[in-house]
Amino acid sequence: MSDSLPKYWQSLAERAGDPGGSAQAHDEFAEPLPVGVAATPPDANSRRDFFKLMGLSAAAAMVACQRAPVQKIIPYVARPDEVTPGLALWYASTCNGCSARCGLLLKTRDGRPIKVEGNDEHPVSRGGVCAVGQASVLSLYDASRARFPSRAGTRVAWTELDADVTQALRKAAEAGQGIRVVLPWHLGPTAEAAVKRFLAAYPTARTVRDEPLGELAAIAEAHRVTHGVHAVPDYRFDKATVIASFGADFLGTWVSPVAFTRQYTEARDAAGQRRMARHYQVEAMMTLTGASADRRFVVAPSELPLVLADLVRRLAMKAGRELPGLPTLPAPALDEATREELAKALWAQREGALVVAGGDDVATQVLVNTANALLGNEDRTVSLSAGTALDADALSLEALLTELRAGTVGAVLFLGANPVYTDPRGEELATLLKGVPLTLSTSDRRDETALHVGLHAPEPTALESWGDAVVRQGVVSLRQPAVAPLHETRSAVESLLQWAGAPQAHYDFLRARWEEEVFPQVDAAGLGFGAFWDDALRRGVATLPGARTKAPAFREEGLAKALAGVARPSVDWELVLYPTVAVRDGAVANNGWLQEVADPITKATWGNPACIAPARAEALGLKDGDVVKVRAGGRTVSVPVLVQAGTHPSVIAVPVGYGRTRAGRVADGVGVDVYPLTAVVDGRARRSVPGVTVEATGEQQALALTQTHHRLEGRPHVREAELAAFLANPRAGNEAQSGHGGGGHSLSMWSGHEYKGHRWALAVDLSACTGCSACVVSCQAENNIPSVGREEVLRRREMHWMRIDRYYQGDEANPQVVHQPMMCQHCENAPCETVCPVLATVHSSEGLNQQVYNRCVGTRYCANNCPTKVRRFNWFDYPHDEPLERMVLNPDVVVRSRGVMEKCSMCVQRIQESKAAANREGRPLRDGDIQTACQQSCPAKAIHFGDANDPDSQVARLAKDGRAFRLLEELNIGSSITYLTKIRNTGSGSGT
Amino acid sequence: MSAPVLIGYFDNETQVLDATRAVREAGFTLHDVYTPYAVHGMDDAMGLKPSRLTWVCFGAGLLGCTLAMSLQLYTSVVSWPLNVGGKPFNSFPAFIPVSFELTVLFAALTTVAAFLVRARLFPGSRRPALPRVTDDRFAIAVAPREDPSELNAAEDLMRSHGAVATALLEVAS
Amino acid sequence: MSNQHLSPLREPLVTEPRSLGQLTEEICAPMERPPTWKWWVAFGIAVSVLGTGAGIVGYQVATGIGVWGLNKTIGWAFDITNFVFWVGIGHAGTLISAILFLFRQKWRTSINRAAEAMTLFAVMCAALFPLIHMGRPWLAFWVMPYPNSRGSLWVNFRSPLLWDVFAISTYFTVSAVFWYVGLIPDLATVRDRAKAGIRKAVFKVMSLGWTGSNRTWSRYETVYLLLAGLATPLVLSVHTIVSMDFATSVIPGWHTTIFPPYFVAGAVFSGFAMVLTLMIITRVVLGYEHLITLRHLENMTKIIIVTGGLVSLAYATEFFIAWYSGNPYERFAFMNRAFGPYAWAYWIMVTCNVVSPHLFWFKKIRTSPAAIFVLSLVINVGMWFERFVIIVTSLHRDFLPSSWAMYTPTMVEVGTFIGTFGLFFTLFLLFVRVLPIISIGEVKSVLGFARDGHEAQPQTPATPAAEEPHPAAHRPVAAVPLAIATRKDVPV
């Protein structure tokens, strides 16, 4: 990995101490950098490009709302009515980053989408967005995207391509050869309709569903077994009183993390509801979810189904039910008492209990369904009736391969799927494709799969195209473009319709379908479709009260067969391939923001080190960065290890989605591709692989970590309490320590400055924060923070204004974890201000600690004197000069030049904007008018911003709360950030 | 000055001191004495009063201190008061170091300047030095009173005190 | 009345009999003869090092400080370490001149000129770092309070960095003036020796028309005394203010009230070490053993023992207070210094600064120039590490463990540091060539100092110094106290 990594020249210069090379001085990052770097010198006609593209996108913004196909660039002098220069336009839309389909608001300035925010009106995601959703706006401007349709890499016209395709399809159909459309599971009703229309047009056509992480497939399959429906239920963590998760990272990556995070925090709002759902997590490796769990148990992956089966047996016993087919399995590793406690806890709550499991093992999911059925929580914490059905009669990838081997396939169309990269059988697939007359991919770039197909019909990104999605039974989310396609792309829906011989614009098709199928379901009292449609467009979502189908009953017939496979392998090493919160399955890998945001647990950036348990590492004499060879199923991959607390000793866990070869300048060669290690068990890809071998190579490879010390050293920066203790005493765990340990006895020789009017402050609820890092990316997007690349992160120079500190306590085999969002504390007596010789950082009349970039001469004294080390220095000119990628910059925020200090400004541009708005409307500023970027995107709503001088504001109230504490009070810095103690519900009784 | 002065050369500090004292006691006007290094006791011998440069130094110091303090107060309190680290606009203690430095700076530079002016030392000065007085010789310059003949008396006096040579010449005062 | 003091107890300051004329000859000789090959070699090396250093600095300024090893946690390391190191070196010069002058230590006369020159050069090296450590050095002038069109936006007089600006510039200016004033009479001497030509012309301008007039001498003495009186507190203030860069911060390990005296002691300590290094080279290369005598060296080693003791005491006090304060951050900072990842640096510092000076208790070592030379280098190394330890170990692990980090210097930083030595020695080598490195006037005045019976006699330059003894009885004994009491130029 290291050799293929971008070699930023200054690292070479430093190693070699080479004083020359000032020639390169002008573009430090001569080679790929996350944020765009112009191959040409920075200023080369960038201005002109800027206006061109601005004009184009301005036109686009108009197009987005009124249907007029516009291809030509409109000079900006002819200003579209909707666009007022300097004012943002917001479009409600739907995220396409994963299968969760959260509601979005797209912020466009002068026609350019520049920021993604959560849609508060969206009933499922409710205003939250994850890191991936935030970053989708950068992917829009990804310079590595395909810009035109192509045949074998050479540009062709759409008409030409369509001719080819239709001809080939006809031929295949006539010859009775199979036509296979490879798709992800979730396309949205409209797209599915288009697919159906396509299938109808070609009798030999069938769908193949493939998703890199087989979670949805496994869940749906399990429900086929236990309930007879091929669907994914709707989980309601907010209604749960006890949660048992078996390796499901539902706060991080599982099914619908944003929605679940919000529900989870509501179920655990100890301060508000005086109660808190207890969360048990049984898992093999430290996940984001496990980090928030009250009780966390570490078991080997192969043990999980056993523990689950044991739980089911105990529940069945309590339910007094006899379950045939529950295999008699060897006793799981987890000790008797714990297993009984778990069963008791769940049984005690019954309908409030919720059992979920991650991974792609059907048997496990079957056990989960059984458990939930025994608990009888259907329609309470888990609702199949509100769930979403998945294409029941789709072929599996294995089936496709068999057909391909048999040579009975005449056409394979990949719609947004990239199996050549994501599947262990990818190589074979690639070779087999050569024999197929028509192969086509619609991926947004010429990715690994597109490389092996004949035709490439690139799709626009979600921000450029229409679409819809069913996020829950009765909730249809609408996706509208915020800009016309930047490139010569066409949505897959339009392509399918075209090839199906019923060409229709995506918009028309969508609108028509809504008119026919969605509108009838709404009791739009009297108002016509037009009004309904406009409203749906505005709100981005439509709720349909339509009668819910009764959930099919649980049936136990299938159990025995489904569980037959469950056995306990005796193994030394087990490989776990997992998605990270940021890069997920790797589809979004070519995105600087997502590569650079530190993994919430490992704190790793720009790579996928393999997590192993401290004990195991010690036994093998391995330390961070030691490269090991992992051999599985005859394939070997070399990957650096990272000693990760809370990992099961037999586990080596490696993130997928790295080591891309055709993703683009940012992702190519970053990390290692471990997909090939995936096991294939009777046709299904399995990302938990027992029986792998791990051997040290003796090589070393530096890990780009943003945090290298993980213990608090007994310092009171984070305070927490046990639920019981907290209910008894709201100040539990937050008793002001005397002396230097913390607590405030601030003596001052003078009264201090007065803050008339506003005084801005933040409050961060450590109890709500799960560490998902959405805020970090949101901050980066809002404030034009550059991604600096692996080499710079290695030198501890990441530029994030906001970071999430993660600390461990207790046993490193299974530690307690706490996340602490850390940003500028805007101290009243800011140490940084006093030491700046040129007054480049001073205090505003509204209590903000301001950094004046153009006055800064860069002595870095302020950063040295910052007790929380939140200031960031521009060591080089971190480039923002790739013409296309520069379009994402927020015009309200200065782009900092080399040699100046920068830091969190509490989104002062948003403060000013809202103040101006209130002013225009001649009303006082209301609490909540202003939302900082981090606050807005937080799925857990853990961050609150407001005016501390307004006694009724939420921050003012929280600041008086018993849980409130401030950092380093003994220094009398007078931090403006209030932290609220973390409450745990471990049942251990005593607070910490 | 135009009238020529009588120069007496000596090789030895002891002699030049005695001679100087003698010349002055004899009532001659000492134009000046030239020595290769600061000869101690010469001031008494010539009857010079202590220099007043010390007062210049003191005054300049005061001035420097005042200017420094007022600059800091003006800029931080009057001209553009800014809330820096929650400190008062007039953070007096923080202003002391700069005030001290400027005190010293003013005092030193002014004193030296005053000295150069007073001693009429400046680059490009054409004043000639007597032979070897910057090396190993000492010289006494006696200014004639109204009657030039008296210089002879002075010359004898100096020779009697061990002058190795005497000369009459113009010396820039 | 004689210049010579009757004191059989005193050792002569000029060990061999010399006449005034010979002194002039000897001291001026190096500047009048063509350079030796040794000088050329030394100069060549110095200049090439300087050149490399300049190149590296240029590269860094053109590229960005990113070429240094600093990071989000450690914003200062080599740069400010070198700055404090050089400022420290710069202190002995003016200190020897001024303080020893006020304390009437007349043995200073043969070393003060070179020491002052050293001060100036060291301060030049030091001043480089605050400049280039800035992110945007081309805007460095913004630290000056001048009326401007930004409001006027002034500077922050509360910032220790600003105090530094004033302290360092004042220190440099005053030291330069002090040095030049001391030079004037000697410049005149050189002028009068020079044959007509460019050399004469130059020195004519530089000597400002000095004639040796006693009226001028008299004022000159007053001014010199005043300057010495001003320079002494200045020397102390400068390093006090430098120490405030750290003392006024909130960072554990920096935030301590002991820093001013601690830094001043350290500065004198390292300064004297550096003076010794240079003097030992100079006296050998230029054959000044009789002017810069063993006694000079020995006296300086004694001062080093004392200041070394002060520094050791400061180390101990810091540690004790860290524990005694009960402040967990302070405690951690110091334990981390001694036993953390940078412990090696800490123990180098202790060995060099606390242990090595005590070797000077041995007469043998104290009187062996070779041994002194080695130890002086050791002490300089130790003092550099002191600053490194203070800066880096305090920064790299402060309040929030999440941002703890490590620092490793890059070749660019090391190169810059070495480059400053190039600058320093280039200037010093030029100095010994073009100016009298020993104050002729002052040495003359102490010529026969205490050499009982040896007196510079009337003589013509042709004949060498005649040493016919003058019986002490010749002189009125009563005159002696008077003489001692009233001398100005060469205080007893």
Side-chain angles (χ1 to χ4, degrees), chain A residues 886-901:
Chain A
R886 197 179 45 223
M887 301 291 289
V888 79
L889 293 180
N890 178 356
D892 295 334
V893 178
V894 176
V895 173
R896 284 75 59 183
S897 72
R898 162 193 145 197
V900 307
M901 191 62 67

Side-chain angles (χ1 to χ4, degrees), chain C residues 193-442:
Chain C
R193 293 171 54 84
K195 322 276 162 292
I198 177 81
R199 175 192 198 81
K200 188 160 187 92
V202 170
F203 279 91
K204 202 181 179 90
V205 173
M206 284 166 62
S207 58
L208 310 174
W210 179 271
T211 59
S213 143
N214 191 69
R215 298 182 187 281
T216 312
W217 270 120
S218 156
R219 300 189 182 103
Y220 175 88
E221 291 295 309
T222 318
V223 169
Y224 200 77
L225 184 66
L226 287 172
L227 284 182
L230 289 170
T232 307
L234 181 61
V235 176
L236 303 184
S237 79
V238 171
H239 228 56
T240 301
I241 288 176
V242 168
S243 78
M244 286 173 180
D245 286 350
F246 309 106
T248 61
S249 79
V250 300
I251 302 302
W254 282 12
H255 182 70
T256 58
T257 46
I258 195 183
F259 265 11
Y262 169 7
F263 269 50
V264 170
V268 180
F269 186 53
S270 62
F272 268 84
M274 191 53 139
V275 175
L276 275 170
T277 319
L278 295 178
M279 284 299 125
I280 290 171
I281 301 172
T282 319
R283 72 197 287 268
V284 174
V285 174
L286 302 181
Y288 282 162
E289 282 89 347
H290 58 289
L291 296 174
I292 307 166
T293 64
L294 268 183
R295 172 156 165 241
H296 292 110
L297 305 185
E298 212 178 329
N299 286 353
M300 287 196 271
T301 58
K302 289 172 185 167
I303 294 183
I304 281 182
I305 296 178
V306 175
T307 48
L310 290 174
V311 171
S312 315
L313 178 64
Y315 297 165
T317 317
E318 267 192 319
F319 245 95
F320 170 74
I321 294 300
W323 164 77
Y324 187 68
S325 69
N327 178 332
Y329 304 115
E330 284 288 329
R331 286 184 177 183
F332 177 86
F334 282 88
M335 293 314 282
N336 182 53
R337 262 184 208 179
F339 308 107
Y342 287 109
W344 57 273
Y346 182 81
W347 293 110
I348 290 179
M349 167 187 100
V350 170
T351 325
C352 298
N353 298 351
V354 178
V355 181
S356 71
H358 294 289
L359 292 171
F360 284 136
W361 290 107
F362 303 101
K363 181 92 181 167
K364 263 201 161 31
I365 296 177
R366 211 162 63 222
T367 51
S368 139
I372 300 176
F373 183 71
V374 173
L375 280 174
S376 68
L377 292 179
V378 170
I379 289 167
N380 278 318
V381 171
M383 285 310 291
W384 187 89
F385 270 99
E386 176 191 299
R387 281 66 177 250
F388 181 83
V389 166
I390 290 173
I391 293 172
V392 174
T393 65
S394 306
L395 281 177
H396 90 120
R397 291 185 170 180
D398 65 348
F399 294 100
L400 301 193
S402 62
S403 45
W404 289 3
M406 293 295 291
Y407 161 82
T408 33
T410 65
M411 293 309 291
V412 177
E413 285 162 294
V414 178
T416 311
F417 182 43
I418 297 172
T420 52
F421 279 96
L423 172 63
F424 182 80
F425 282 104
T426 307
L427 292 169
F428 193 79
L429 286 163
L430 286 174
F431 162 70
V432 300
R433 285 294 309 159
V434 303
L435 291 171
I437 71 158
I438 292 182
S439 169
I440 307 174
E442 292 194 23

Side-chain angles (χ1 to χ4, degrees), chain A residues 398-423:
Chain A
E398 186 65 19
L400 172 64
L401 284 161
T402 337
E403 291 182 333
L404 285 170
R405 292 193 201 96
T408 61
V409 179
V412 184
L413 314 178
F414 296 94
L415 269 55
N418 184 11
V420 171
Y421 166 69
T422 61
D423 198 275

Side-chain angles (χ1 to χ4, degrees), chain A residues 151-316:
Chain A
R151 182 194 296 121
T154 52
R155 181 184 195 133
V156 291
W158 277 108
T159 49
E160 204 177 329
L161 181 133
D162 291 337
D164 283 16
V165 175
T166 35
Q167 188 196 4
L169 288 174
R170 277 212 201 79
K171 205 185 288 140
E174 283 153 13
Q177 287 178 307
I179 296 170
R180 299 293 172 255
V181 188
V182 187
L183 305 152
W185 286 107
H186 271 307
L187 283 184
T190 304
E192 293 290 355
V195 173
K196 283 203 186 59
R197 196 168 285 191
F198 179 83
L199 297 183
Y202 298 98
T204 61
R206 283 193 68 180
T207 55
V208 177
R209 301 280 178 168
D210 176 63
E211 243 166 36
L213 313 163
E215 280 165 346
L216 294 177
I219 295 171
E221 189 55 35
H223 281 90
R224 201 205 298 264
V225 173
T226 56
H227 294 78
V229 287
H230 192 254
V232 176
D234 179 41
Y235 300 92
R236 298 303 298 268
F237 289 83
D238 51 341
K239 296 182 178 164
T241 51
V242 56
I243 299 162
S245 162
F246 292 79
D249 185 9
F250 58 85
L251 298 178
T253 57
W254 189 76
V255 183
S256 183
V258 170
F260 295 162
T261 304
R262 181 63 178 279
Q263 298 171 2
Y264 182 76
T265 45
E266 282 172 348
R268 291 166 59 80
D269 177 13
Q273 308 173 356
R274 318 293 299 159
R275 67 166 187 78
M276 194 172 179
R278 176 165 300 165
H279 171 196
Y280 294 88
Q281 183 85 0
V282 185
E283 61 185 8
M285 54 170 289
M286 180 66 82
T287 63
L288 188 65
T289 310
S292 297
D294 298 311
R295 309 287 310 275
R296 178 174 180 273
F297 308 106
V298 184
V299 302
S302 54
E303 296 275 7
L304 273 173
L306 305 188
V307 177
L308 199 44
D310 176 84
L311 174 68
V312 169
R313 191 181 298 105
R314 288 170 194 274
L315 290 176

Side-chain angles (χ1 to χ4, degrees), chain A residues 518-763:
Chain A
V518 180
F519 184 54
Q521 299 181 48
V522 288
D523 51 359
L527 94 164
F529 174 70
F532 162 73
W533 173 255
D534 292 346
D535 183 58
L537 262 187
R538 191 183 54 73
R539 297 176 49 242
V541 63
T543 41
L544 318 172
R548 262 198 198 164
T549 52
K550 173 94 184 60
F554 172 79
R555 38 173 118 136
E556 45 192 56
E557 298 76 49
L559 279 186
K561 188 168 162 299
L563 301 181
V566 179
R568 176 196 220 156
S570 59
V571 292
D572 177 23
W573 280 104
E574 296 190 47
L575 171 67
V576 177
L577 303 173
Y578 70 100
T580 58
V581 168
V583 171
R584 302 288 176 97
D585 61 13
V588 292
N590 199 51
N591 186 308
W593 295 350
L594 294 176
Q595 289 285 358
E596 191 144 311
V597 63
D599 180 274
I601 297 301
T602 64
K603 292 295 167 191
T605 67
W606 294 101
N608 55 339
C611 302
I612 58 173
R616 194 68 183 267
E618 203 174 327
L620 298 172
L622 290 172
K623 40 184 203 329
D624 284 1
D626 288 344
V627 178
V628 295
K629 271 201 172 65
V630 184
R631 184 174 289 101
R635 291 210 180 87
T636 307
V637 164
S638 292
V639 54
V641 300
L642 181 144
V643 181
Q644 173 60 52
T647 314
H648 188 279
S650 75
V651 165
I652 178 166
V654 197
V656 295
Y658 287 84
R660 298 280 312 254
T661 53
R662 314 290 304 182
R665 300 171 317 148
V666 177
D668 289 355
V670 173
V672 194
D673 177 13
V674 287
Y675 272 120
L677 298 182
T678 314
V680 180
V681 180
D682 43 40
R684 290 178 158 277
R686 295 289 308 280
R687 273 145 194 94
S688 161
V689 189
V692 302
T693 63
V694 175
E695 64 190 63
T697 61
E699 291 163 35
Q700 259 283 331
Q701 189 184 107
L703 304 178
L705 308 177
T706 60
Q707 182 182 347
T708 51
H709 193 89
H710 309 305
R711 298 195 177 277
L712 260 169
E713 303 299 330
R715 299 178 177 187
H717 305 326
V718 174
R719 305 182 193 169
E720 54 179 74
E722 175 57 29
L723 179 62
F726 167 71
L727 293 178
N729 161 23
R731 292 194 60 75
N734 193 27
E735 301 81 1
Q737 288 89 338
S738 59
H740 293 291
H745 51 74
S746 57
L747 298 171
S748 183
M749 288 166 67
W750 79 303
S751 48
H753 288 282
E754 241 192 298
Y755 293 93
K756 310 188 187 66
H758 303 296
R759 178 164 188 183
W760 306 117
L762 276 177

